Amino acid sequence: MSIRALDLSSLGSTRMNDDPWPWAFYEGVFQPHVLNANFPNDHFACHSQHRLLEALGRRQSDSWFQHNVETGALLELGSDEPFEPDGLEDIWLEVAADLLSPDYRDRLMDTLNYC
């Protein structure tokens, strides 16, 4: 039996908090072999964040500023497989498989239903 990338028992023991807003602290969810792996650095795209802030009505306010970020998707919303899996190392395919698993979704729903 192979070691999973996520320790779902750690995820299942986490509880949501609601003060001052919904949040949770997850500890020990990623297995050590995931934490020690090199993070993928291919297939990243540059995005400017100023449009998001404009949409939130914060342009020209004290919180408005523009910065650029590079993002790369592991999973895309609604997808049932990793984004561009051919470019990913096995460890990140493992993480994606765990995030897509019914067990992960069940544990996450159990945590979210606490609120």
Side-chain angles (χ1 to χ4, degrees):
M1 181 175 169
S2 65
I3 297 174
R4 297 181 74 125
L6 303 178
D7 178 356
L8 296 181
S9 64
S10 292
L11 182 64
S13 66
T14 301
R15 292 291 170 239
M16 292 293 296
N17 298 283
D18 58 6
D19 185 28
W21 53 76
W23 64 276
F25 179 77
Y26 298 97
E27 188 171 12
V29 173
F30 287 98
Q31 295 286 0
H33 71 284
V34 175
L35 298 174
N36 293 325
N38 290 328
F39 195 78
N41 56 15
D42 291 337
H43 309 292
F44 277 67
C46 189
H47 304 279
S48 178
Q49 293 295 299
H50 75 280
R51 289 189 179 153
L52 173 63
L53 295 171
E54 286 176 7
L56 295 173
R58 295 190 178 163
R59 185 180 176 98
Q60 306 304 329
S61 71
D62 290 340
S63 64
W64 187 89
F65 59 93
Q66 178 179 339
H67 63 278
N68 295 320
V69 295
E70 288 193 20
T71 59
L74 177 60
L75 302 169
E76 289 191 308
L77 187 61
S79 179
D80 60 355
E81 62 182 47
F83 180 71
E84 297 186 9
D86 294 339
L88 292 173
E89 292 182 28
D90 288 345
I91 186 67
W92 299 108
L93 293 173
E94 239 181 82
V95 170
D98 277 358
L99 292 173
L100 291 167
S101 73
D103 289 343
Y104 171 77
R105 291 177 186 194
D106 289 346
R107 296 289 176 109
L108 191 58
M109 288 303 297
D110 289 345
T111 301
L112 295 173
N113 285 331
Y114 172 74
C115 285

